[in-house]
Amino acid sequence: MNDSSTERAVLEARGLTRTFREGDLNVEVLRGIDLTISAGERMAIVGASGAGKSSLLSLLAGLDQPSDGEVWLAGQRFSALGERQRGLLRNRHLGFVYQAHHLLPEFSALINVAMPLIIRRVERRQAEDEARILLERVGLGHRLDH
């Protein structure tokens, strides 16, 4: 990762391919995906059901291994890291909002948003303050006092 465009990349996929085996059949759901996301960028992945959106997200998050290609997060190649290291890297540098939202229903919206910071062992009051700022930024802060 020496050229200037990759130095700014927070998340990068190179030649990403994912193939699943079903009986005697190989089902290729992703083929040759190249993707670069820089600091501060946001991205939406949209497509028909079964198009490979969840498979791509799982690969980008290091939750699944590609059949071919590689994923880099914050300058580190996921395949070179152990599970614990991948988890720590995800917690510090990556966030996903899935269409099925995956919120923990027993917690408030504030705590759901603060959870990654709490897991990172940020003091709870600071985590909640940062979560409140994020919720306000997306127009949900006004609902926190009700």
Side-chain angles (χ1 to χ4, degrees):
M1 295 185 40
N2 293 340
D3 67 69
S4 62
S5 66
T6 28
E7 287 180 32
R8 293 185 304 245
V10 173
L11 180 63
E12 185 174 6
R14 300 177 187 167
L16 218 51
T17 299
R18 185 65 173 106
T19 304
F20 293 97
R21 183 139 180 99
E22 290 189 18
D24 293 337
L25 186 63
N26 285 329
V27 179
E28 191 174 57
V29 294
L30 299 170
R31 181 185 323 140
I33 304 291
D34 293 319
L35 173 73
T36 301
I37 301 173
S38 299
E41 267 188 312
R42 292 185 189 119
M43 179 181 92
I45 299 173
V46 295
S49 179
K53 300 178 300 291
S54 294
S55 295
L56 178 59
L57 288 176
S58 291
L59 294 174
L60 292 176
L63 298 170
D64 191 13
Q65 297 296 318
S67 302
D68 197 17
E70 52 191 26
V71 176
W72 294 76
L73 177 60
Q76 297 189 49
R77 188 168 39 97
F78 264 138
S79 62
L81 304 174
E83 183 59 39
R84 180 168 159 55
Q85 292 171 305
R86 285 193 307 268
L88 290 170
L89 197 60
R90 269 191 301 271
N91 180 267
R92 295 197 182 276
H93 297 285
L94 194 60
F96 288 118
V97 178
Y98 289 90
Q99 67 186 17
H101 61 73
H102 296 288
L103 295 176
L104 302 172
E106 61 272 20
F107 296 110
S108 68
L110 182 70
I111 297 302
N112 268 280
V113 173
M115 194 68 68
L117 294 172
I118 293 168
I119 290 169
R120 196 184 301 165
R121 307 243 190 291
V122 169
E123 190 269 324
R124 187 178 178 114
R125 184 184 240 359
Q126 180 184 347
E128 288 180 9
D129 288 346
E130 290 184 35
R132 188 172 281 106
I133 290 167
L134 290 172
L135 287 167
E136 287 171 0
R137 191 180 295 167
V138 297
L140 297 174
H142 66 284
R143 310 220 42 202
L144 295 176
D145 296 326
H146 299 299

